[in-house]
Structures are given as structure tokens and as C-alpha cells.
Amino acid sequence: MSEQKIPHHIAIIMDGNGRWAQARGKKRVFGHKAGMERAREMAEVCGELGVKYLTLFAFSSENWNRPQDEVSFLMELFATSLKNESKKLNKNNVKLTVVGDKDGFDKTLRKAIDKAEALTQDNDGLYLQIAANYGGRWDMVQAAQQLAAQGQEITEEGIAAHLVTGGGPDPDLLIRTGGEQRISNFLLWQAAYSELYFSPMLWPDFDGDALQQAIADYNQRQRRFGQTGEQVTTAEQGD
Ligand code: FPP
């Protein structure tokens, strides 16, 4: 792994928990539990590799339409994990933030989120962003609404600053597991120039080695941001 460029910001759509469980003759929620373990492991691996931002898509604005018992299980899993994990995250210098429409959650979960965010707010190791009750279109609308309410001009900088990711860096690498090749309303604005990596692996199987493979693939890409390949190569040689 020498000379690998490590992406500054990795965002992940963690798909395939349900299928992983069903393939084992278990209920879908069993897959979410395993998925949570993987999320925890991914944060550790990213911290070790020197990734600065990790954004995980845990629950979309549209996931409320799932069967009620699955939604309840996910909410409980989220709250319990925040309670159980926040001390360890804090010890590991991880700053945790939940990005999304937090007003949609019940009081217990909101409290657990506030507590975990407050505990870890001064940390400067890995910035772990959990996207929950999040939708990319909602994010853009709420940013524009804030600008309008403040009587500000609608500009690119203004919108970027008011997105829930708050003017932080855009993802360099956006990974989706589970075999589907779509963005599903995740970070629509922020992913404008992200390198996309689709893995057929189901999320509970996506381990550190799989992440290394995604990073190796990312290293083969030439990020052009609208320029020509020649311009980019010349600029790189001048570095
Ligand atoms: C997609 O798999 C996964 C979700 C909608 C939930 C993701 C949640 C976790 C990984 C656990 C919670 C993690 C955190 C960090 C709070 P799916 O159910 O759509 O799988 P399928 O496509 O096989 O049905």
C-alpha cells in the first residue's frame, strides 16, 4: 500500500443488510445488527488509515416507508449504539455528528444524539458523520430556505455553507455496497465530483480489505474537475 493517496473524505451507502440476513435464513433486522458492527469497524479502519471524514448513510428520508417493526428496530439500534459507543468514540478522538432532519426523531433518540455530539465535539481525529433521516433534495431545500429567511443571495458558496455538512469538504470517494448502482438521494450536491465505487458485496461483508480495494481503485482514477486530462497531468508534474 505504499504511495497510496488516502481519500480525505469517504462517504458510504451501506446497502445489503436485509439480503445478507435473508441469505442466512434470518430476519432483516439481524442484518442491520451485523451492519452496525461493520460501521463501527469501518470508523476504526478509516481512523487508522488517516481518512479525515467518514459519512455513513444510516437512514434515508424515504426509509420511514419500510415496515413499522423494521423502522422501530433501526431507531432503537441507533439510540442504543450511540449510548454504548460514544465513550469509546470519544476515547479514540472521533468527533461524531448526525446530519439530517433530527426533528423527525423521537425525544429519546434526539437526546442520545445531542449527548454523543456534545461529548465528542472538541475531538479532532476522525470526523464521523452519520446521515440519518437524510435526503439530498431535502438538504438543498433546507439550505436555500435558510438563505431566503436570512435575506441572503442564493450563491454556490451560500448553499454549500448551509447544507447539513456545513461547508465541510465534499466526499472524494463515494462507495455503495450491495450491487445497486445509484445514489439514492444521498449527498446530491456534495457528491458532484466524487469518484463513485460500486461493490457487489453486501454491507455486513464489507471489511477493511474491501475498503483497501476501493481505495486502490480510487488511486487509479484521474480526477479532472472539468479540466482536460492533459491539464491535470501537467499540474501534477508541477507539484
Ligand atoms: C440498507 O440495507 C441499510 C439500511 C437502510 C440501514 C443501514 C443501517 C445500518 C448499517 C445500521 C445502523 C448504522 C449506523 C451507523 C447507525 P437494506 O436493508 O436496504 O438491505 P437490502 O437492500 O438487502 O434489503
Side-chain angles (χ1 to χ4, degrees):
M1 287 290 288
S2 63
E3 297 297 310
Q4 287 263 47
K5 263 189 302 188
I6 298 297
H8 189 57
H9 183 176
I10 296 180
I12 309 183
I13 301 175
M14 307 177 287
D15 196 12
N17 294 345
R19 279 167 284 162
W20 185 88
Q22 280 159 347
R24 285 159 182 76
K26 308 259 191 187
K27 290 195 175 148
R28 297 175 51 80
V29 294
F30 181 75
H32 293 317
K33 238 174 140 179
M36 175 56 88
E37 294 303 317
R38 273 303 178 215
R40 188 184 9 206
E41 182 188 327
M42 210 44 65
E44 278 172 17
V45 176
C46 282
E48 283 161 16
L49 287 174
V51 174
K52 194 67 196 173
Y53 286 80
L54 174 65
T55 306
L56 300 175
F57 203 7
F59 194 83
S60 78
S61 317
E62 291 75 32
N63 284 150
W64 297 107
N65 297 325
R66 293 190 170 210
Q68 187 51 47
D69 57 345
E70 184 172 340
V71 171
S72 303
F73 181 91
L74 280 168
M75 292 301 138
E76 223 159 276
L77 179 66
F78 193 16
T80 319
S81 305
L82 283 169
K83 280 182 206 152
N84 294 343
E85 297 297 324
S86 48
K87 271 203 194 111
K88 191 161 173 221
L89 290 172
N90 190 38
K91 213 175 112 215
N92 291 340
N93 199 21
V94 174
K95 177 175 174 155
L96 175 116
T97 49
V98 174
V99 294
D101 187 0
K102 294 180 220 174
D103 292 341
F105 298 131
D106 70 19
K107 227 168 118 192
T108 317
L109 181 51
R110 281 208 307 267
K111 243 174 133 177
I113 292 171
D114 289 347
K115 237 174 136 179
E117 287 183 338
L119 180 70
T120 62
Q121 67 180 346
D122 296 325
N123 295 338
D124 60 2
L126 175 74
Y127 294 145
L128 175 61
Q129 307 186 116
I130 306 292
N133 197 16
Y134 178 84
R137 289 181 178 178
W138 164 82
D139 197 4
M140 284 189 243
V141 170
Q142 69 79 29
Q145 283 171 340
Q146 283 189 57
L147 290 175
Q150 295 161 12
Q152 289 189 47
E153 205 188 330
I154 307 278
T155 61
E156 260 199 42
E157 293 72 24
I159 290 181
H162 288 81
L163 294 168
V164 286
T165 43
D170 289 338
D172 301 292
L173 174 62
L174 173 64
I175 298 172
R176 181 179 185 137
T177 63
E180 311 288 355
Q181 303 197 354
R182 53 176 172 260
I183 305 284
S184 296
N185 203 16
F186 189 39
L187 302 176
L188 292 182
W189 175 285
Q190 297 90 331
Y193 286 103
S194 302
E195 293 297 328
L196 306 180
Y197 181 83
F198 298 104
S199 167
M201 290 174 86
L202 304 176
W203 173 248
D205 291 326
F206 196 83
D207 57 8
D209 285 348
L211 180 73
Q212 300 266 16
Q213 224 171 307
I215 294 176
D217 191 277
Y218 168 80
N219 272 265
Q220 303 304 313
R221 316 275 182 96
Q222 184 187 51
R223 304 190 72 196
R224 292 205 284 271
F225 299 98
Q227 290 190 308
T228 66
E230 205 172 32
Q231 283 175 304
V232 175
T233 310
T234 310
E236 279 169 358
Q237 281 164 354
D239 278 348

